[in-house]
C-alpha cells in the first residue's frame, strides 16, 4: 500500500482528530524537543541553567527537592520499562504479567504520590518565600503547570484504572502505540480505545516535551563534568599588602 493509501485508511479508521492527536502531534512534539534543545544550546548557552534559588531558602528545598527529583527519576525509569520493553520480553525473563502489573501499580502509586508531594512543596516554596517568588518568571509558572498536570493525570490514571477500577493493561495499547511512533508506523487506533485519563496523560506529556527545551528543565541534560578537569582559580590581590590589617610578624612579604 502506498503512503497516500495508508493515510486514507488511517483517516477512515481513526478520523481526522485521531490522526492529529496520535500521529501528527507526537512527531511535532519530538521535533520541538530535539530541535529546541539544539537551538537553545547554540543561541542561549548562558540561559542553560537551573537558576538555583538555594541561597534564598533551604529548609523547604531540602524536603521538596529530593522528593521530586528522586521520585521523577523512578517514574521515568518505570515509563521506560513499561513503554519501551514489550510484554513478551518481561515474560521471557520470568516475570509474569500479573507480577509486573502489581509491582508497577504499587511502586507507581507510591512514587507518584512522592513526586507530586515534592512538587507541591516546591510550588508552595515559590509562592510563599518572597525572594524565591520574585525570582520566578512566567516561564517557570508555565513549567510548573505542565509538570503538575502531567504528573497528576498519570497518577490519576493509575489509581482510577487499577485501584478503583477493575484494572487496565496499558502495555497492550499505549505501549505499542508509543513504539510505533519510533518505528515510523504510527497506529492511532491503539490510543483511541484507551481510557480517557491515559489519553489525557499522553497528550499532556507530549505538550510538556514540546515546551521542555524552552524552560529551565534543560538542566536535565546537563552534567557538571567540566568541574573534574577545570584548572584551579587563582586569586591575587592588587593591594600593596594583604587586607587592611598590618601583617603579623613573620608574615611580611618578601622582595
Amino acid at each position: 500500500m502506498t503512503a497516500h493509501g495508508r493515510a486514507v485508511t488511517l483517516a477512515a479508521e481513526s478520523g481526522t482528530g485521531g490522526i492529529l492527536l496520535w500521529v501528527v502531534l507526537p512527531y511535532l512534539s519530538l521535533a520541538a524537543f530535539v530541535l529546541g534543545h539544539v537551538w537553545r544550546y547554540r543561541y542561549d548557552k548562558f540561559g542553560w541553567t537551573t537558576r538555583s534559588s538555594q541561597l534564598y531558602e533551604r529548609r523547604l528545598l531540602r524536603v521538596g527537592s529530593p522528593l521530586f527529583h528522586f521520585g521523577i527519576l523512578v517514574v521515568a525509569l518505570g515509563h521506560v520499562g513499561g513503554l519501551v520493553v514489550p510484554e513478551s520480553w518481561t515474560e521471557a525473563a520470568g516475570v509474569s504479567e500479573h507480577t509486573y502489573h502489581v509491582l508497577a501499580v504499587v511502586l507507581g502509586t507510591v512514587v507518584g504520590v512522592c513526586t507530586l508531594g515534592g512538587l507541591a512543596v516546591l510550588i508552595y516554596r515559590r509562592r510563599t518565600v518572597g525572594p524565591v517568588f520574585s525570582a520566578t518568571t512566567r516561564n517557570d509558572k508555565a513549567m510548573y503547570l505542565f509538570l503538575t498536570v502531567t504528573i497528576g493525570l498519570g497518577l490519576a490514571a493509575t489509581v482510577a484504572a487499577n485501584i478503583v477500577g477493575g484494572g487496565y493493561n496499558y502495555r497492550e495499547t499505549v505501549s505499542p502505540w508509543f513504539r510505533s511512533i519510533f518505528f515510523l508506523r504510527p497506529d492511532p487506533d491503539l490510543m483511541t480505545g484507551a481510557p480517557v485519563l491515559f489519553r489525557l496523560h499522553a497528550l499532556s506529556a507530549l505538550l510538556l516535551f514540546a515546551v521542555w527545551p524552552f524552560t529551565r528543565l534543560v538542566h536535565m541534560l546537563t552534567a557538571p563534568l567540566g568541574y573534574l578537569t577545570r584548572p584551579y582559580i587563582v586569586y591575587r590581590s592588587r593591594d600593596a599588602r594583604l587586607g587592611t590589617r598590618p601583617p603579623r610578624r613573620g608574615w611580611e612579604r618578601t622582595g
Side-chain angles (χ1 to χ4, degrees):
M1 180 181 295
T2 64
H4 176 71
R6 177 174 174 77
V8 172
T9 303
L10 288 176
E13 293 178 352
S14 303
T16 305
I19 298 298
L20 293 176
L21 292 178
W22 311 119
V23 177
V24 177
L25 182 60
Y27 287 115
L28 291 178
S29 176
L30 184 61
F33 184 82
V34 175
L35 298 179
H37 278 94
V38 173
W39 175 87
R40 182 82 181 271
Y41 185 78
R42 183 173 181 179
Y43 295 103
D44 190 28
K45 286 185 179 180
F46 289 104
W48 193 294
T49 173
T50 61
R51 295 200 301 273
S52 175
S53 59
Q54 184 177 358
L55 292 176
Y56 302 139
E57 195 280 336
R58 297 185 180 183
R59 182 176 61 86
L60 291 173
L61 188 64
R62 282 197 292 262
V63 176
S65 183
L67 271 177
F68 174 76
H69 284 91
F70 284 110
I72 202 67
L73 177 61
V74 178
V75 168
L77 292 176
H79 277 68
V80 170
L83 297 176
V84 178
V85 179
E87 184 177 339
S88 58
W89 289 19
T90 54
E91 291 181 350
V95 180
S96 65
E97 178 56 29
H98 176 72
T99 302
Y100 175 88
H101 182 76
V102 172
L103 290 176
V105 171
V106 174
L107 183 62
T109 302
V110 173
V111 174
V113 170
C114 292
T115 305
L116 199 59
L119 184 60
V121 173
L122 294 178
I123 294 176
Y124 173 81
R125 172 178 176 269
R126 288 250 164 209
R127 187 62 186 87
T128 58
V129 179
V132 181
F133 181 73
S134 299
T136 302
T137 64
R138 293 181 179 179
N139 187 294
D140 294 331
K141 296 176 183 179
M143 177 202 68
Y144 278 112
L145 176 62
F146 278 105
L147 280 174
T148 303
V149 171
T150 303
I151 297 172
L153 286 173
L155 182 60
T158 300
V159 172
N162 299 290
I163 297 179
V164 179
Y168 177 72
N169 186 8
Y170 67 91
R171 301 179 82 193
E172 295 180 351
T173 54
V174 181
S175 298
W177 165 79
F178 180 81
R179 293 192 295 270
S180 71
I181 296 296
F182 295 92
F183 292 147
L184 303 181
R185 297 174 57 186
D187 189 354
D189 292 333
L190 293 171
M191 287 301 294
T192 54
V196 174
L197 284 176
F198 280 88
R199 284 180 282 166
L200 291 176
H201 176 55
L203 290 175
S204 64
L206 291 175
L207 295 177
L208 173 63
F209 280 105
V211 302
W212 189 297
F214 311 103
T215 67
R216 58 194 182 93
L217 290 174
V218 293
H219 75 274
M220 181 199 71
L221 301 179
T222 304
L225 299 179
Y227 285 99
L228 301 177
T229 58
R230 74 174 185 174
Y232 291 105
I233 300 177
V234 179
Y235 293 94
R236 293 183 175 90
S237 174
R238 294 179 179 270
D239 299 333
R241 62 183 184 183
L242 297 175
T244 58
R245 297 181 181 180
R248 292 183 299 173
R249 183 176 181 181
W251 290 95
E252 292 84 0
R253 285 186 171 184
T254 59

